[in-house]
Every structure is written in structure tokens, then in C-alpha cells.
């Protein structure tokens, strides 16, 4: 992995949290990693709130996350983008893909999907193309699926190396517009990143399985994919990815943000001096920008530190 250290205004990175709760150690790692990759390349760093799925949004948490990022010394470029304000744009892309006959209506219920799947993929039943020639069932609610080719699609990840997937065999045609009327995450992410000129996607390894789908969407939309860097996952004591479920010990507070930043640097394989943890957040970030070694990031998941003891 090599990231050129020059003043390249063309590099654009981003952090895209979901407002489902406060920033925790895992999301801080993603924020810090994406920030350092972008800044080291002399690029811009954007912020996007992924409030695509209204029932999952926790009121107030988007503002809380922005405040927490500020407390950690982060400054983002340009206005914050909210997915909830971009539904018209997603709709426009759906119409375009539909006109090009890349999408088809699917009437399959969850039960029918399970029954028709030739085998289980990593993310559940593989869609066997049941409704490709027209919806088969009577169900009134229709999802829109993207036709995918029977072809191995590859992409290089700057941390994990080669990613490769045959979408048709391992996943099947996937949903871009859900039967409940909401847009799929895969669609929104790709359209947002294209519209914002994002050239570098740095995010947690929990999203690595989405990458080939997104690379294929770039192809459908006639755009080059960004470079990808997936960061190791921070695990809770139960070996699961940390989340709200793990309670307060993973949550950032104004009392622990500087120590958390220092720990996040360590988590990314960097070697900040011990005394740096006592400095202001902005100074810790400045040290990190100056000394960031992308090659030091390893792909292995590991336990998150307990922020309570900070
Ligand atoms: Zn179907």
C-alpha cells in the first residue's frame, strides 16, 4: 500500500456515520482513519450523515456526533450532507437505471426468497433471478433489483488486498429500492460518493462485503470506483463488533476524547508518544497527520480498549 504524500487537491475522502447513537470507539477509528488518509494525500475530508433509514435514526444523534467530532478536533470541508435530503436524487438514478432496463420489479416475499434460493450466500439466500422476466408472485409491494452478471468482479483494497466476488452466484440480483419504498444503502452510498467527488473510501471492515456490489454500481453509472481501504474492526468483550449494545464503555465523552484519539491511533498501528495523550485533541491530530504510516494498519480485528478507564 502506498499513499503519495503530496498536495493533491483531487483526493477526496469522507466519513459517513449513521445517526443511530453517539460516536463510539469503532466509529472514531473510521473517522480518524478516513481523515488521515485524506489529509496525508493533501486532500479534502467530507462528512455525510447516513440517515437513509428513518426508523433506525435516533433523534438528536446526528448533532451529537458532529459535536463529538468537533471535540476530537476534526474539521470537515464543506457542508455536511444528509442522505434524508437526497431522496429526489436517488429517485432520479433509479429512473435512469430503470430506463436502461438494468432494474426489474421483484414481488418475492421473504419466505419465497428463502424457498427459491439455490443456496445460502454470506448475506442470506442467493436471489436466483425469479422475477427477471416479470414479477412472478401476486404481492403488491415490489422491490427493484439490479441485474448482476455471472462474472468475477475484482477490486484492490489498500489494507485487505484483492477483493473478488461473482455477484450472480454469491448474492444474486440485489435490491436498490426496497419494497417499503426506501432506497437501499448500496445505492445511496455510491450516488453520494459520486456526487461529492469522493476518490477514497476508508471505512470499517464490516462494510467490506458491500464493496463489490458498489464497484459494480459504479460501472453501471459509468464512473470509476474510488480507492478502498477497510480498517480493522474493534471488537467488544463478546468478540462482536462494538456497537450501542456494548454500553457506555465504548462511548466517547468530553472526558475521554483525547485518550480515545490516542488509543485509536494505536489501534491503527501508529506509534504516538505516551505524553501526546495529555495534549489537546487538535495537537494529537496534527501529530497524527505528520506521522501517519498507512502501511502500519493491519487487517486483523482486535478488542476495543475500555474507554471507561481513560
Ligand atoms: Zn422476485
Amino acid at each position: 500500500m502506498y499513499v503519495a504524500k503530496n498536495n493533491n487537491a483531487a483526493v477526496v475522502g469522507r466519513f459517513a456515520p449513521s445517526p443511530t447513537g453517539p460516536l463510539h470507539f469503532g466509529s472514531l477509528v473510521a473517522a480518524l482513519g478516513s481523515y488521515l488518509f485524506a489529509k496525508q494525500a493533501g486532500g479534502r475530508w467530507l462528512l455525510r450523515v447516513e440517515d437513509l433509514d428513518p426508523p433506525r435514526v435516533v433523534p438528536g444523534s446526528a448533532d451529537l456526533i458532529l459535536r463529538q467530532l468537533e471535540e476530537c478536533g476534526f474539521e470537515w470541508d464543506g457542508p455536511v450532507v444528509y442522505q434524508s435530503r437526497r431522496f429526489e436524487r436517488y429517485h432520479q438514478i433509479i429512473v435512469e437505471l430503470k430506463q436502461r432496463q438494468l432494474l426489474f420489479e421483484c414481488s418475492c416475499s421473504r419466505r419465497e426468497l428463502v424457498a427459491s434460493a439455490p443456496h445460502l450466500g454470506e448475506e442470506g439466500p442467493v436471489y436466483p433471478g425469479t422475477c427477471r422476466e416479470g414479477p412472478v408472485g401476486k404481492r403488491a409491494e415490489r422491490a427493484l433489483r439490479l441485474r448482476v452478471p455471472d462474472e468475477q468482479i475484482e477490486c484492490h483494497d489498500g489494507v485487505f488486498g484483492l477483493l473478488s466476488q461473482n455477484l450472480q452466484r454469491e448474492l444474486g440480483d440485489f435490491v436498490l429500492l426496497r419494497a417499503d419504498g426506501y432506497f437501499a444503502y448500496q445505492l445511496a452510498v455510491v450516488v453520494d460518493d459520486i456526487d461529492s467527488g469522493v476518490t477514497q473510501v476508508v471505512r470499517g471492515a464490516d462494510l467490506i462485503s458491500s464493496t463489490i456490489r458498489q464497484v459494480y454500481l459504479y460501472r453501471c453509472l459509468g464512473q470509476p470506483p474510488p480507492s478502498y481501504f477497510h480498517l480493522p474492526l474493534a471488537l467488544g468483550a463478546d468478540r462482536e463488533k462494538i456497537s450501542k449494545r456494548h454500553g457506555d464503555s465504548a462511548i466517547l465523552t468530553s472526558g475521554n476524547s483525547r485518550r480515545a484519539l490516542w488509543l485509536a491511533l494505536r489501534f491503527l498501528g501508529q506509534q504516538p508518544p505516551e505524553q501526546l495523550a495529555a495534549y489537546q485533541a487538535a495537537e494529537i491530530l496534527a501529530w497524527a497527520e505528520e506521522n501517519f504510516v498507512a502501511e502500519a494498519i493491519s487487517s486483523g480485528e482486535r478488542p476495543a480498549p475500555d474507554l471507561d478507564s481513560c
Side-chain angles (χ1 to χ4, degrees), residues 106-108 127 130-131:
C106 169
S107 61
C108 298
Y127 186 74
T130 315
C131 302

Side-chain angles (χ1 to χ4, degrees), residues 82-153:
Y82 291 84
Q83 289 186 325
S84 58
R85 299 176 194 167
R86 289 179 43 79
F87 288 0
E88 252 177 67
R89 174 66 175 147
Y90 306 145
H91 179 73
Q92 195 185 351
I93 297 290
I94 288 284
V95 168
E96 182 196 319
L97 292 172
K98 213 173 166 187
Q99 278 167 354
R100 291 166 52 205
Q101 304 193 331
L102 291 170
L103 303 183
F104 63 89
E105 285 185 24
C106 169
S107 61
C108 298
S109 65
R110 179 82 196 158
R111 199 192 308 167
E112 285 165 338
L113 289 177
V114 172
S116 65
H119 54 270
L120 276 184
E122 233 176 90
E123 295 190 29
V126 172
Y127 186 74
T130 315
C131 302
R132 271 191 163 199
E133 310 307 324
V136 168
K138 294 188 191 70
R139 193 162 164 263
E141 300 81 34
R142 306 277 167 88
L144 285 177
R145 289 181 183 270
L146 179 70
R147 287 174 208 277
V148 296
D150 180 8
E151 171 196 334
Q152 206 67 31
I153 297 174

Side-chain angles (χ1 to χ4, degrees), residues 220-261:
C220 293
L221 296 171
Q223 299 290 330
S227 24
Y228 289 98
F229 301 87
H230 286 89
L231 303 174
L233 282 189
L235 303 181
D238 54 1
R239 304 288 300 157
E240 293 289 321
K241 179 200 166 198
I242 52 167
S243 63
K244 271 185 306 194
R245 216 159 39 71
H246 290 89
D248 294 342
S249 70
I251 303 272
L252 257 72
T253 64
S254 36
N256 69 16
S257 58
R258 288 182 292 174
R259 184 74 187 165
L261 258 184

Side-chain angles (χ1 to χ4, degrees), residues 207-229:
L207 289 165
I208 205 164
S209 64
S210 293
T211 306
I212 297 295
R213 264 173 280 179
Q214 293 174 11
V215 166
Y216 182 62
L217 264 172
Y218 275 92
R219 192 205 287 184
C220 293
L221 296 171
Q223 299 290 330
S227 24
Y228 289 98
F229 301 87

